[in-house]
């Protein structure tokens, strides 16, 4: 099969012909139709995340059909459409798993990082960590739900019952979460790269009540903020924008260093926290909600062999919505 493989020495990904994987007992053999590109993929390519699997195939938000299964795999007959997320496996026995926090599992394995992912024509995935894909979404439009949507949704919920919520960084996740926020009657304040007037226009078009540069103060005090951009200097900026008791949630897996800031920005019970990974419960709940909103994802398609171009477009903020690879 064709796959885009992370080379150990060079830069970026290489198109390679590699053996089609065969499923272990709990795994499904999947033919991939669409895989969305995530900012995390860039952090892996840039070696900002340590120890990826050797000869890694990236990609952790993909939609596929089942073409085969190991002897112990259940629930997904041949021909079923499945979605594969970032959490590829958890041990089920550590203190985090047994307390409903498998997203923090000590031995978790992540798709497109510890396990080969969706930048390929085929993949294998443990059936217990796959999701049925909601009807009403074709393959490319469903793919971004699996990380941008799903982990974005976890960040959104951890921001609490905020009426006025700020989104710092208006990429794939914010495109989806603004729709959930509006569905729930909340006001979204969008912060984009300073000077990115096109980004402001898109955010306003999607229903943000205000859009401005991340160097600006919002016109109203926010009840909470989510930082989707991997930029540490946004942390004190967001803390300064939230009201007493408000939360600032960092939604990404990697961020540049956070500059020091005066304690008064955190004082008065403001909360600063991160979000890590997902639980299967998050996935079930979010994928049930998506058709009710209904969420409309915006995608820009790239052929599989153009994965490097897709990654660069994400890096430069040139994608309105999500970049999606279609083999
Ligand atoms: Zn992701
Ligand atoms: Zn565990």
């Amino acid at each position: 099969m064709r796959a885009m493989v992370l080379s150990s020495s060079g830069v970026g990904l290489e198109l390679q012909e590699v053996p089609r994987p065969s499923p272990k007992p709990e795994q499904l053999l999947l033919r991939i139709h669409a895989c969305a590109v995530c900012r995390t993929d860039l952090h892996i390519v840039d070696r900002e995340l340590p120890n990826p699997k050797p000869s890694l195939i990236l990609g952790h938000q993909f939609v596929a059909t089942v073409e085969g299964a190991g002897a112990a795999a259940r629930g997904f007959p041949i021909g079923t459409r499945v979605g594969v997320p970032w959490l590829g496996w958890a041990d089920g026995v550590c203190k985090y798993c047994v307390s409903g926090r498998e997203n923090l599992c000590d031995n978790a394995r992540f798709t497109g990082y510890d396990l080969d992912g969706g930048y390929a024509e085929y993949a294998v995935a443990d059936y217990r960590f796959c999701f049925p894909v909601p009807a009403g979404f074709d393959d490319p439009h469903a793919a971004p739900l699996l990380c941008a949507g799903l982990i974005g949704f976890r960040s959104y919920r951890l921001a609490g019952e905020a009426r006025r919520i700020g989104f710092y960084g208006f990429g794939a996740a914010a495109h989806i979460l603004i729709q959930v926020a509006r569905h729930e009657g909340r006001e979204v304040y969008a912060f984009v790269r300073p000077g990115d007037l096109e980004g402001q226009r898109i955010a306003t078009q999607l229903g943000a009540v205000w859009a401005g540069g991340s160097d600006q103060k919002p016109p109203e005090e926010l009840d909470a903020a989510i930082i989707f951009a991997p930029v540490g200097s946004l942390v004190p900026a967001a803390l300064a924008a939230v009201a007493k008791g408000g939360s600032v949630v960092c939604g990404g897996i990697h961020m540049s260093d956070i500059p020091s800031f005066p304690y008064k920005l955190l004082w008065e019970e403001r909360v600063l926290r991160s979000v890590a990974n997902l639980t299967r419960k998050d996935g079930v709940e979010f994928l049930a909600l998506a058709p009710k909103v209904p969420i409309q994802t915006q995608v820009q398609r790239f052929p599989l062999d153009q994965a490097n171009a897709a990654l660069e477009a994400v890096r430069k903020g040139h994608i309105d919505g999500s970049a999606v690879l279609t083999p």
Side-chain angles (χ1 to χ4, degrees), residues 247-306:
S247 291
V248 172
V249 179
C250 301
I253 193 169
H254 176 84
M255 199 179 237
S256 55
D257 286 352
I258 301 171
S260 74
F261 55 85
Y263 176 61
K264 74 172 171 70
L265 292 182
L266 187 62
W267 166 241
E268 294 169 327
E269 303 198 343
R270 290 175 183 85
V271 174
L272 174 61
R273 71 172 302 164
S274 66
V275 160
N277 315 316
L278 67 134
T279 65
R280 283 170 283 179
K281 189 165 172 281
D282 294 329
V284 168
E285 290 171 6
F286 175 67
L287 293 172
L289 174 65
K292 287 186 194 142
V293 171
I295 290 170
Q296 294 185 329
T297 56
Q298 202 127 320
V299 305
Q300 188 173 329
R301 297 184 203 202
F302 293 79
L304 177 61
D305 60 8
Q306 295 300 306

Side-chain angles (χ1 to χ4, degrees), residues 90-97 102 105-108:
D91 60 16
V93 297
C94 74
K95 67 178 176 186
Y96 300 104
C97 284
E102 65 185 2
C105 177
D106 280 331
N107 298 302

Side-chain angles (χ1 to χ4, degrees), residues 58-231:
L58 287 171
H60 58 263
Q61 30 182 358
F62 63 90
V63 176
T65 47
V66 178
E67 285 210 349
R74 302 274 175 272
F76 293 98
I78 305 288
T80 314
R81 198 162 71 128
V82 301
V84 180
W86 170 244
L87 182 65
W89 188 83
D91 60 16
V93 297
C94 74
K95 67 178 176 186
Y96 300 104
C97 284
V98 299
S99 57
R101 295 178 293 162
E102 65 185 2
N103 59 309
L104 302 177
C105 177
D106 280 331
N107 298 302
R109 290 184 208 146
F110 298 107
T111 311
Y113 185 43
D114 305 306
L115 306 164
D116 281 333
Y119 286 25
E121 292 176 313
Y122 288 86
V124 289
D126 189 306
Y127 79 98
R128 293 165 295 186
F129 294 85
C130 294
F131 298 112
V133 178
F137 292 88
D138 66 15
D139 300 331
H141 289 88
L145 298 176
L146 292 157
C147 179
L150 215 166
I151 299 183
F153 182 61
R154 185 174 176 85
S155 309
Y156 172 81
R157 279 204 308 201
L158 291 176
E161 296 289 314
R163 189 165 82 76
R164 296 190 180 116
I165 187 163
F167 290 172
Y168 285 80
F170 211 84
H175 266 72
I176 293 174
L177 270 300
I178 190 172
Q179 298 175 54
V180 177
R182 292 188 66 210
H183 176 70
E184 295 185 342
R186 307 190 194 199
E187 292 178 2
V188 172
Y189 294 73
F191 298 83
V192 301
R193 295 177 207 214
D196 179 6
L197 299 180
E198 176 65 6
Q200 290 184 28
R201 190 188 63 75
I202 289 168
T204 310
Q205 209 171 45
L206 282 167
V209 296
W210 175 88
S214 56
D215 55 347
Q216 287 177 256
K217 273 251 180 180
E220 309 280 351
E221 254 189 339
L222 306 177
D223 300 311
I226 305 174
I227 302 177
F228 293 115
V231 181

Side-chain angles (χ1 to χ4, degrees), residues 1-4 17-22 28-33 57-58 62 64-68 116-125 304 327:
M1 67 167 186
R2 291 183 315 138
M4 293 298 287
E17 193 67 37
V18 300
R20 187 185 295 183
S22 39
L28 304 170
L29 172 65
L30 300 171
R31 179 164 176 213
I32 297 166
H33 301 298
I57 300 171
L58 287 171
F62 63 90
T65 47
V66 178
E67 285 210 349
D116 281 333
Y119 286 25
E121 292 176 313
Y122 288 86
V124 289
L304 177 61

